[in-house]
Amino acid sequence: MWFASPDEVRGRLAAVDYLADDGIATSVFLAGALGKPLLAEGPAGVGKTQLAKAVAQATGARLIRLQCYEGLDEARALYEWNYKKQLLRIQADDGAWDDIFSEEFLLERPLLKAIRSEEPTVLLIDETDKADVEVEGLLLEILSDYQVTIPELGTITAARRPYVVLTSNATRELSEALKRRCLYLHLDYPTPERERDILLAQVPGLPAGIADQLARTVATLRALELKKSPSIAETVDWAHTLLALGRTELDEALIGETLGVVLKHNSDQVRAAKELGLPAR
């Protein structure tokens, strides 16, 4: 049992500075209680990856991360053989052909590493929507029975089921088959009040007034039609920036001077300056 109740989830995540609302706390609890993967979907920068990290930190579990990308294949996600080492063994001993497909030559990748782990493990499959559709088939096989078959070694079954979190920015629709195997959690940008609380939890020494100003300013920025809205992490960076500058109030001039902390496209900065009525630079 990973957590005893949603209330325990909320408390233990808060202890590692992740503020979970009722929906998050219930989903995190059920994923552990039911032994089902948790699919967290939503815009980039809303804390999906951080949620998996927080679960690992709160439970003392090992975090294993599979970063998905276009072109990701089984060799990078599951396992491959150390061909160079195999070749060297064969060159040294012509009779070694029967021994080169053994544990000594196996290179574990994140999925196999998580399956074989005997300690509590959180498996983070990050940005699943960026991987090719073929990878979903691999995930379906792994997440159905938590086992994998390596032809040369046989079937390997999980000694201890990992706590699995998949994240998706919804850039493409994931298959219904994969979704059926998961609990679903949609995450969106927090309200200004919740983001203020996040800032106060994650940025020691930040005055409550500045935290409130930052949260409301970022909410205004996110309401604009930007190429990339500020993430929660970037809001936290903005708070650290103000502390580093020794500023105690977020005025228009300071917003204009530090806008690059949260907006990384010039067109977004131009639009924000115009909409917020910031002084010309």
Side-chain angles (χ1 to χ4, degrees):
M1 179 74 71
W2 288 85
F3 299 97
S5 68
D7 284 340
E8 183 182 312
V9 171
R10 192 179 296 104
R12 292 172 69 179
L13 292 187
V16 295
D17 297 334
Y18 191 99
L19 303 186
D21 60 21
D22 291 343
I24 294 174
T26 300
S27 296
V28 168
F29 165 71
L30 289 175
L34 302 178
K36 294 179 72 68
L38 177 62
L39 171 59
E41 191 170 65
V46 296
K48 303 183 297 295
T49 299
Q50 189 58 37
L51 175 59
K53 292 180 178 179
V55 170
Q57 189 177 355
T59 58
R62 178 188 185 189
L63 177 69
I64 296 178
R65 180 176 182 174
L66 173 63
Q67 179 62 53
C68 296
Y69 54 87
E70 186 177 351
L72 177 69
D73 59 11
E74 184 173 311
R76 290 288 178 263
L78 188 56
Y79 76 93
E80 64 180 328
W81 295 103
N82 190 332
Y83 298 115
K84 291 183 179 179
K85 190 174 181 179
Q86 287 175 323
L87 181 59
L88 289 173
R89 175 63 63 85
I90 292 170
Q91 289 174 341
D93 180 5
D94 287 339
W97 285 94
D98 292 337
D99 300 326
I100 60 174
F101 291 101
S102 61
E103 287 282 352
E104 181 183 353
F105 302 93
L106 183 67
L107 296 177
E108 291 181 337
R109 300 308 183 199
L111 293 180
L112 181 59
K113 190 175 295 184
I115 288 293
R116 302 181 81 185
S117 178
E118 295 185 358
E119 61 183 311
T121 299
V122 173
L123 172 60
L124 167 59
I125 304 173
D126 213 6
E127 298 185 303
T128 310
D129 53 323
K130 288 188 176 180
D132 299 324
V133 175
E134 291 75 15
V135 173
E136 287 191 38
L138 176 62
L139 293 178
L140 281 171
E141 180 182 355
I142 298 292
L143 300 179
S144 294
D145 302 311
Y146 289 90
Q147 65 181 30
V148 60
T149 299
I150 300 177
E152 298 84 357
L153 298 179
T155 299
I156 299 173
T157 302
R160 182 173 189 152
R161 282 195 176 193
Y163 188 109
V164 182
V165 178
L166 301 90
T167 74
S168 169
N169 295 334
T171 58
R172 74 170 176 84
E173 190 73 21
L174 299 178
S175 71
E176 290 300 323
L178 181 59
K179 286 186 173 183
R180 280 197 300 272
R181 281 166 173 76
C182 302
L183 300 179
Y184 181 81
L185 172 65
H186 182 267
L187 293 179
D188 211 335
Y189 293 111
T191 62
E193 292 75 20
R194 183 162 175 262
E195 191 150 24
R196 175 201 61 210
D197 293 341
I198 292 172
L199 290 174
L200 292 174
Q202 296 193 7
V203 187
L206 183 70
I210 288 187
D212 189 66
Q213 287 180 299
L214 282 172
R216 296 189 182 283
T217 301
V218 168
T220 300
L221 292 175
R222 290 181 184 141
L224 304 177
E225 293 183 5
L226 303 177
K227 282 187 176 181
K228 172 63 174 66
S229 293
S231 67
I232 297 174
E234 286 165 333
T235 309
V236 172
D237 287 343
W238 208 2
H240 283 298
T241 298
L242 299 190
L243 284 183
L245 293 172
R247 305 297 290 268
T248 58
E249 186 175 352
L250 187 66
D251 54 29
E252 290 183 351
L254 185 56
I255 292 175
E257 292 168 6
T258 59
L259 205 53
V261 177
V262 288
L263 298 182
K264 310 302 172 61
H265 294 276
N266 183 60
S267 60
D268 286 348
Q269 292 190 22
V270 171
R271 178 182 294 274
K274 180 180 178 182
E275 295 293 336
L276 297 177
L278 302 180
R281 299 181 60 187

